[in-house]
Amino acid sequence: MAHVIVVGAGAIGSHVVTLAARMALVDELTIVDPQSYEPGNLANQNIATADIGRSKAQAQMRGAKLVRHDLAVTAYALPVESLPLGRLRADVILACVDSRRARMTINQAAWRLGVPWVNAGIDASGLVRVQAFVPGADQACLECAWDAADYALVEQTYPCAAVSSALPTASSAALAALAASLQAIECEKLLAGRLDDALIGRDVMVDTRHHRHFVTTFQRHTACRMPDHEGWQIRESRVNPMSTGFDELLAAVAPGLESSPD
């Protein structure tokens, strides 16, 4: 059985939570979103009027439990940037976020933890974009395709607009549901180990307005700015940091290293 994390419970995320809850392979679901639902969200997000004013993460947790009572669901009403790294350890992360900063955080966390992730975004003009990443030293990450202009826009937020970095969009519920469905399909492939069928190393863009779709392949960029492309070797330590001296703690987590007398 598998653990899936949904980061962002807005237009795309509110739809993908329900889809993830219905996946037979999923027995644990984590939802991350710092915001609360507003009246305007009824137009394109998978919510009811009773959810207005409620935490998005908490509301989606309740919705997922209505789908499956036996599903273990955890909600964090926090920005993903504030979440401890260990809380993002899962089998797959589904990114439905509204900023490059959040996507960059997820990308780097996924590589450090060795967790596959699927990115999805929409644009009000009718574009849907989905990408899948599986961490590895030779695998392309999100930032491998970024240039200086992308990094300059890291601080800019815009709801669910992975396709466009312009202004906040007013995309339809149908477009959001389409993105969520494509994202969920890729998630199921990763969970089932069908890596040859998955979107790894590719980018799919669907132009619903003109009935076209485009598939782009991207490669590992040797000059990628993301640190630790090899990932981190993380192991459990049974040392209690509250009752252990620094030298003993250092010896436990990094054998062979000694603290400087200075």
Side-chain angles (χ1 to χ4, degrees):
M1 300 301 282
H3 176 200
V4 171
I5 297 177
V6 177
V7 184
I12 299 174
S14 62
H15 290 277
V16 87
V17 163
T18 302
L19 296 174
R22 288 188 165 91
M23 293 181 189
L25 291 174
V26 176
D27 65 347
E28 183 177 359
L29 185 62
T30 296
I31 305 161
V32 182
D33 196 301
Q35 299 179 339
S36 298
Y37 287 116
E38 301 176 354
N41 297 144
L42 285 167
N44 66 354
Q45 301 185 23
N46 187 24
I47 59 173
T49 53
D51 294 319
I52 302 303
R54 291 178 176 172
S55 157
K56 290 186 176 183
Q58 293 288 337
Q60 290 301 322
M61 179 177 70
R62 284 190 288 270
K65 294 292 286 184
L66 288 175
V67 173
R68 277 177 55 193
H69 296 296
D70 63 333
L71 186 66
V73 188
T74 304
Y76 292 106
L78 294 169
V80 66
E81 298 90 338
S82 301
L83 206 63
L85 182 62
R87 295 286 187 262
L88 291 173
R89 186 180 280 112
D91 293 286
V92 175
I93 299 172
L94 302 179
C96 315
V97 292
D98 62 359
S99 73
R100 277 184 171 82
R101 169 65 67 186
R103 286 187 173 91
M104 185 170 71
T105 297
I106 295 167
N107 183 61
Q108 295 190 8
W111 244 258
R112 290 165 180 167
L113 296 170
V115 177
W117 72 287
V118 186
N119 183 35
I122 55 179
D123 184 273
S125 64
L127 298 179
V128 173
R129 186 176 188 177
V130 177
Q131 304 161 307
F133 303 93
V134 173
D138 299 323
Q139 292 291 330
C141 78
L142 176 72
E143 293 180 61
C144 283
W146 281 14
D147 57 19
D150 289 294
Y151 284 101
L153 291 169
V154 159
E155 298 300 335
Q156 181 174 326
T157 62
Y158 42 95
C160 305
V163 176
S164 169
S165 61
L167 298 173
T169 62
S171 57
S172 69
L175 201 63
L178 174 59
S181 296
L182 293 174
Q183 191 178 35
I185 289 169
E186 293 306 316
C187 178
E188 289 185 306
K189 292 177 187 176
L190 294 172
L191 293 178
R194 291 160 43 208
L195 302 186
D196 290 341
D197 296 331
L199 198 58
I200 303 166
R202 289 177 293 165
D203 178 311
V204 167
M205 184 181 292
V206 180
D207 178 353
T208 61
R209 182 178 178 184
H210 300 99
H211 308 289
R212 295 181 297 183
H213 82 278
F214 310 87
V215 180
T216 304
T217 300
F218 46 94
Q219 304 293 327
R220 166 77 165 95
H221 198 310
T222 55
C224 176
R225 294 192 194 183
M226 187 189 78
D228 308 307
H229 229 280
E230 295 275 352
W232 289 355
Q233 296 299 317
I234 300 174
R235 70 182 194 280
E236 182 180 0
S237 174
R238 299 186 181 279
V239 174
N240 182 353
M242 302 303 295
S243 60
T244 306
F246 179 75
D247 287 342
E248 186 180 352
L249 181 62
L250 186 64
V253 299
L257 291 181
E258 296 180 357
S259 60
S260 167
D262 297 330

